[in-house]
């Protein structure tokens, strides 16, 4: 007997036979369930459907990077949603914001008020797809060679669009935060854009859920002291709270 989750998956598959993608919000409205329910259906059942940048697509029909989908996209979904609500409140009219790669970014972008006019700079596929749904957003995609493993674009020469832009805010993602080793991530090919954005931005904002604290990953982003603000979903260990206070780093959770 077909279960309700399987029935919803089958309905989505039928919908995607006539279109390349459907936004998660639209799919939830058509199926009369929450976006979280659809995410759980896709995550818990064997299916070729994936959520990519806020859209549902059928991977069987497309060649799409699975780094942030299979390994990261459906992890800590509630935590990412909570963080997104906090970060989205920092987006103001006429801001110019650098959006880093990572699976939390689409959650943040989707949470931004559609009535706010802002300029977004990005270099990842999932952020770009999510930004397309913001009607008053001017998008600047830093292009180049497409990296399949983490769905980012890296420059093929020594120059990028960021050379000519000074964002007033940079939302930087990380996979590890440690008091001694600093802020780290998995992939070395992300470092160039992260470093340039942090150097040129007026305010550097570190975004990570609570599971990233105390973790160390291979690629070094920067010392913690280079960030003006840290946004997470839960109060971190007292060692981190004291460090942030001593170094005048704002903590929001």
């Amino acid at each position: 007997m077909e279960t309700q989750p399987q029935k919803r998956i089958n309905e989505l598959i039928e919908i995607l036979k006539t279109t390349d993608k459907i936004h998660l919000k639209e799919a939830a409205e058509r199926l009369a369930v929450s976006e979280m329910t659809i995410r759980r259906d896709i995550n818990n059942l064997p299916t070729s459907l994936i959520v990519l940048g806020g859209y549902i697509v059928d991977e069987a029909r497309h060649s799409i990077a699975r780094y942030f989908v299979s390994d990261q996209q459906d992890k800590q979904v509630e935590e990412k949603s909570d963080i997104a609500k906090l970060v989205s409140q920092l987006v103001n009219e006429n801001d110019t914001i650098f959006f880093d790669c990572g699976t939390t970014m689409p959650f943040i972008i989707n949470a931004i008020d559609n009535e706010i006019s802002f300029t977004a700079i990005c270099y990842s596929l999932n952020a770009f797809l999510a930004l397309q749904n913001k009607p008053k957003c001017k998008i600047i995609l830093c292009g180049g060679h497409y990296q399949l493993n983490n769905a980012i674009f890296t420059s093929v020469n020594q120059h990028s669009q960021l050379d000519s832009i000074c964002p007033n805010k940079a939302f930087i993602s990380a996979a590890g935060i440690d008091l001694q080793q600093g802020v780290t991530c998995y992939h070395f090919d992300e470092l160039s854009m992260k470093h340039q954005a942090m150097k040129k931005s007026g305010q550097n904002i570190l975004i990570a859920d609570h599971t990233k604290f105390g973790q160390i990953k291979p690629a070094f982003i920067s010392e913690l002291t280079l960030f003006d603000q840290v946004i997470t979903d839960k109060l971190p260990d007292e060692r981190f709270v004291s460090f942030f206070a001593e170094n005048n780093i704002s903590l929001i959770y």
Side-chain angles (χ1 to χ4, degrees):
M1 183 176 178
E2 188 179 55
T3 64
Q4 284 300 316
Q6 188 61 60
K7 182 179 179 180
R8 289 191 291 267
I9 290 294
N10 291 339
E11 289 183 30
L12 289 171
I13 291 173
E14 288 301 313
I15 292 171
L16 291 171
K17 287 181 178 179
T18 60
T19 183
D20 285 339
K21 62 185 179 182
I22 181 171
H23 197 273
L24 185 61
K25 182 178 180 180
E26 180 184 349
E29 291 174 351
R30 291 178 66 168
L31 298 181
V33 295
S34 68
E35 295 179 28
M36 187 69 70
T37 295
I38 293 180
R39 284 186 180 276
R40 286 171 177 161
D41 289 346
I42 292 173
N43 190 40
N44 295 332
L45 295 176
T47 177
S48 58
L49 301 186
I50 58 175
V51 180
L52 182 64
Y55 288 86
I56 301 171
V57 298
D58 191 341
E59 194 185 25
R61 299 172 56 208
H62 302 277
S63 176
I64 299 172
R66 287 191 57 84
Y67 157 69
F68 55 86
V69 178
S70 63
D71 294 339
Q72 302 295 329
Q73 182 74 11
D74 291 311
K75 292 183 178 180
Q76 284 82 48
V77 169
E78 294 184 7
E79 290 88 341
K80 291 171 183 175
S81 297
D82 291 341
I83 291 171
K85 293 174 185 176
L86 296 173
V87 180
S88 65
Q89 295 174 16
L90 302 180
V91 180
N92 300 314
E93 191 76 12
N94 298 319
D95 270 348
T96 298
I97 301 175
F98 173 83
F99 289 86
D100 201 358
C101 61
T103 56
T104 304
M105 291 300 151
F107 287 84
I108 294 170
I109 294 164
N110 290 335
I112 297 171
D113 188 337
N114 285 341
E115 295 304 311
I116 296 177
S117 298
F118 66 102
T119 298
I121 309 144
C122 65
Y123 70 114
S124 68
L125 180 62
N126 57 345
F128 176 72
L129 290 173
L131 286 164
Q132 287 185 96
N133 203 44
K134 297 287 112 176
K136 294 188 176 182
C137 175
K138 178 181 179 180
I139 309 171
I140 301 173
L141 175 64
C142 299
H145 175 62
Y146 181 63
Q147 304 284 350
L148 190 63
N149 63 337
N150 52 354
I152 68 170
F153 297 89
T154 56
S155 178
V156 295
N157 53 43
Q158 296 180 342
H159 305 285
S160 77
Q161 281 76 9
L162 258 180
D163 294 339
S164 305
I165 307 171
C166 291
N168 61 304
K169 295 169 187 170
F171 295 156
I172 305 296
S173 61
I177 303 174
D178 183 80
L179 293 179
Q180 283 71 47
Q181 297 298 327
V183 183
T184 54
C185 63
Y186 287 101
H187 298 284
F188 293 96
D189 51 14
E190 299 174 9
L191 294 179
S192 177
M193 289 299 294
K194 291 178 189 284
H195 290 166
Q196 187 176 12
M198 292 178 64
K199 182 178 179 179
K200 303 199 71 176
S201 176
Q203 187 179 14
N204 293 320
I205 301 167
L206 178 60
I207 298 166
D209 67 69
H210 70 278
T211 65
K212 308 303 189 298
F213 287 86
Q215 298 291 317
I216 302 171
K217 303 307 176 186
F220 176 71
I221 299 173
S222 76
E223 300 291 347
L224 262 171
T225 51
L226 292 185
F227 288 93
D228 303 288
Q229 195 168 67
V230 175
I231 301 180
T232 186
D233 59 303
K234 292 181 181 180
L235 181 68
D237 185 275
E238 180 59 36
R239 296 176 300 118
F240 288 97
V241 175
S242 298
F243 181 90
F244 295 149
E246 292 167 4
N247 290 276
N248 198 30
I249 301 171
S250 174
L251 173 64
I252 299 176
Y253 62 93

